């Protein structure tokens, strides 16, 4: 019987995918999950098996991620997701805002030129938990106690730590023992970092989750019980503990001792929300992202630029394709740093211009045969682009007494807790067509001292703001920092959701997702083939994480890209860093074939941690 699946685009001009994949693309008809940790995927799939929908499953998996990937996200962090609703796809906005006392003047008076990368001065109102509870109340079906039971189990009874938890703790062990004793007590209870596979527990966080459930004990309905938990977190015992603990001066990145400025009132003022996404059409698919308060539109801009090239220039596995993609990424990242931020979120004219075919054509024309430095934003009549300072890692190291603070890489943690690119991801699709792509992050165990009665620490998203009023991403009280969290949803020509995807990786998230989209939508790769294929990205933009450095002409590639391609990039002027064979890109994807109803999922094999599950 002939297949009713839509025909794949031709591969003739693309490098053929490897004949062997690390694992199959899972296919079935019941439900599919993909996440950056196998225990989160298993918990989410268990919810589907017991009658929950995609949103119940996602919330359960997300709270497990707080426990099993504490070096990548936490309940004190933030969340951005794309979800299907009865009114069409929406952005689940769980990005907290700057505290009322977080003014440029306050930070300048403390002798700071940048918002620190670690410590409570970089904290926003935690947004992830409120966003997950909003989703559960409005789109889920399960009781809060049942959804949280998986996370409570792993926090109280323990789970085997992945190796990177131990290496992260080891990187900041001196900070913990000398300056953050509550973090040492939680993450080094035996006086040393946990080993690979060592069982670790977080009884304090288990109690916190228990108390959130208990807050709704007297409520009459499921929704009222969830609302009570939201109040307990945002304006109850959690908020009170956050304010009291953050007010105590402690060590920040850069070595200074500061008190945080976040208060219970700041937490009470924040509420997660559902917002309209923005989009472009590429090769018959509508690609949905956040607005320009996040970096999501840069992927849309990149697709608009690349859509004007022949397919042969879109193959990341060739010299010409890799060069074209890297140069496109530099252009859109320069635009991100010049134009994106909360100030652009309500500026429809600005976004329309950045996503217009005319603007894409003008940017496309700037791509030559040679590498560029990556420092030229586009011109918009009547507007002046913001140009953030471009400090190289070498220049930063020359004026910084601690060489560890100038280290780079993804993920990286220095002795004072600063980090870049540490995040996790979760995708779920159920048999009814409900979908969610969620990228939770922040509140890493190394971001600020552990609040002992809560079992978690605060996030540091304010490091993505500038102490410069002229920037669209300037630090302003009550305003969201520009986030790197950037999940993706695809719709077919009829407007039906077909796929959800995303990746950890900070500034690299949309860069790696772009490669996936090109290989699947243009090259005809299967999801797992596209995830397995060699990855690359540029670091020629101003980094979103402290200390905000830039590496002109830089490209980072997996060695599997091949000697000929790498040599060709170097001849074109790219300063190439070889990152190893399997080191870049941590994509997750789930979807539904609209013509057949078949569900699918795939996950990143790098690091032997991410897994898909489903049937």
């Amino acid at each position: 019987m002939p297949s009713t699946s839509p025909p794949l685009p031709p591969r003739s001009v693309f490098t053929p995918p490897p004949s062997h994949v690390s694992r199959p693309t899972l296919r079935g008809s019941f439900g599919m999950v993909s996440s950056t940790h196998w225990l989160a995927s298993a918990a989410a799939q268990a919810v589907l098996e017991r009658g929950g929908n995609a949103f119940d499953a996602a919330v359960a998996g997300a709270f497990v991620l707080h426990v099993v990937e504490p070096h990548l996200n936490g309940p004190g962090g933030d969340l951005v997701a794309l979800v299907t609703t009865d009114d069409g796809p929406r952005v689940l906005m769980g990005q907290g805002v700057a505290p009322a006392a977080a003014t440029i003047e306050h930070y300048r008076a403390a002798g700071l030129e940048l918002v620190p990368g670690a410590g409570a001065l970089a904290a926003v109102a935690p947004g992830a938990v409120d966003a997950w509870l909003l989703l559960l109340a409005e789109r889920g079906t399960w009781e809060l106690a049942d959804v949280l039971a998986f996370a409570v189990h792993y926090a109280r009874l323990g789970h085997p730590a992945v190796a990177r938890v131990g290496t992260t703790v080891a990187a900041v062990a001196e900070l913990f023992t000398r300056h953050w004793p509550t973090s040492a007590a939680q993450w080094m209870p035996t006086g040393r970092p946990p080993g690979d596979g060592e069982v670790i527990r977080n009884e304090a966080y288990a109690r916190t989750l228990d108390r959130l459930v208990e807050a709704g004990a007297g409520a009459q309905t499921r929704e009222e019980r969830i609302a009570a938990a939201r109040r307990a977190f945002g304006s109850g015992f959690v908020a009170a503990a956050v304010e009291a603990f953050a007010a105590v001066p402690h060590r920040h990145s850069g070595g200074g001792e500061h008190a945080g400025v976040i208060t219970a009132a700041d937490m009470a003022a924040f509420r997660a929300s559902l917002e309209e996404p923005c989009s472009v059409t590429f090769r018959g698919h509508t690609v949905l992202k956040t607005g320009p308060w996040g970096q999501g539109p840069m992927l849309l801009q990149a697709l608009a630029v690349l859509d004007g090239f022949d397919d042969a220039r879109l193959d990341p596995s060739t010299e010409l394709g890799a060069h074209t993609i890297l140069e496109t990424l530099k252009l859109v990242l320069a635009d991100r740093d010049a134009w994106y931020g909360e100030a652009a979120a309500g500026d429809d004219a600005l976004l329309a211009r950045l996503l217009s075919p005319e603007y894409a054509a003008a940017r496309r024309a700037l791509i030559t045969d040679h590498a560029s430095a990556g420092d030229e934003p586009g011109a918009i009549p009547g507007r002046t682009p913001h140009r953030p300072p471009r400090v190289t890692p070498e220049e930063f190291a020359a004026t910084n007494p601690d060489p560890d603070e100038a280290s780079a890489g993804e993920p990286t943690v220095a002795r004072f807790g600063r980090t870049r690119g540490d995040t996790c991801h979760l995708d779920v699709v159920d048999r009814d067509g409900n979908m969610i792509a969620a990228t939770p992050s922040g509140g890493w165990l190394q971001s600020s001292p552990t609040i002992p009665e809560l079992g978690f620490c605060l996030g540091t998203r304010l490091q993505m703001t500038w102490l410069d009023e002229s920037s669209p991403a300037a630090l302003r009280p009550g305003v969201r920092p520009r986030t790197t969290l950037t999940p993706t949803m695809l719709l077919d020509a009829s407007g039906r959701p077909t796929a959800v995807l995303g990746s950890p990786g900070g500034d690299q998230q949309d860069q790696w997702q772009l490669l996936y989209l090109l290989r699947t939508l243009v090259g005809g790769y299967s999801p797992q083939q596209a995830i397995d294929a060699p990855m690359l990205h540029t670091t020629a933009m101003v980094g979103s994480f402290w200390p905000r450095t830039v590496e002109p002409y830089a490209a980072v590639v997996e060695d599997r890209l091949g000697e000929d391609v790498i040599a060709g990039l170097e001849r074109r002027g790219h300063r190439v860093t070889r990152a190893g064979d399997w080191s870049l890109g941590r994509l997750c994807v789930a979807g539904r074939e609209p013509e057949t109803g078949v569900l699918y999922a795939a996950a990143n094999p790098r690091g032997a941690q991410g897994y898909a599950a489903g049937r």
Side-chain angles (χ1 to χ4, degrees), residues 185-413:
Q186 170 57 45
W187 301 110
M188 301 169 58
T190 63
R192 58 168 177 77
D196 184 11
E198 184 174 343
V199 174
I200 60 175
R201 298 173 176 83
N202 190 340
E203 175 61 32
Y205 186 47
R207 289 195 303 269
T208 295
L209 296 180
D210 287 341
R211 292 182 69 182
L212 293 181
V213 173
E214 292 164 1
Q220 298 301 306
T221 67
R222 186 186 76 94
E223 291 75 16
E224 289 172 349
R225 287 186 280 276
I226 296 171
R230 293 179 74 184
R231 290 192 296 273
F233 191 93
S235 57
F237 75 96
V238 173
V242 165
E243 177 176 333
F245 192 82
V248 178
H250 54 275
R251 181 62 59 96
H252 282 58
S253 55
E257 299 277 340
H258 307 282
V261 295
I262 189 170
T263 67
D266 294 316
M267 291 182 60
F270 174 77
R271 284 293 179 269
S273 61
L274 291 167
E275 300 184 354
E276 292 277 354
C278 62
S279 65
V280 298
T281 299
F282 178 79
R283 303 302 169 91
H285 296 263
T286 299
V287 185
L288 303 181
K289 302 294 287 186
T290 69
W293 54 269
Q295 70 172 345
M298 65 163 277
L299 177 63
L300 306 182
Q301 284 191 245
L303 291 171
V305 171
L306 292 170
D307 204 20
F309 286 117
D310 293 337
D311 288 359
R313 296 196 67 166
L314 306 187
D315 183 356
S317 296
T318 67
E319 176 191 334
L320 178 60
H323 169 74
T324 302
I325 291 164
L326 287 167
E327 292 306 292
T328 298
L329 287 168
K330 292 176 192 177
L331 292 170
V332 301
L333 284 161
D335 279 343
R336 180 198 70 171
D337 293 336
W339 304 112
Y340 292 16
E342 187 66 65
D347 193 338
D348 293 340
L350 173 62
L351 186 61
R353 173 64 178 171
L354 292 173
L355 298 181
S356 69
E358 297 77 16
Y359 187 82
R363 299 298 273 160
R364 188 183 310 121
L366 298 177
I367 297 176
T368 71
D369 292 336
H370 301 284
S372 64
D375 57 353
E376 284 301 322
I380 297 181
R383 299 173 184 257
T384 302
H386 175 68
R387 293 181 179 270
R390 292 176 63 86
V391 179
T392 67
E394 295 76 16
E395 291 168 337
F396 176 79
T399 58
N400 192 295
D402 184 351
D404 285 348
E405 290 297 333
S407 61
E410 192 284 319
T412 297
V413 184

Side-chain angles (χ1 to χ4, degrees), residues 70-71 159-171 173 176 183-184 186-201 445:
H71 59 311
H159 67 281
V162 295
R164 286 189 177 182
V165 173
T167 56
T168 298
V169 175
F176 282 9
S183 294
Q186 170 57 45
W187 301 110
M188 301 169 58
T190 63
R192 58 168 177 77
D196 184 11
E198 184 174 343
V199 174
I200 60 175
R201 298 173 176 83
L445 65 86

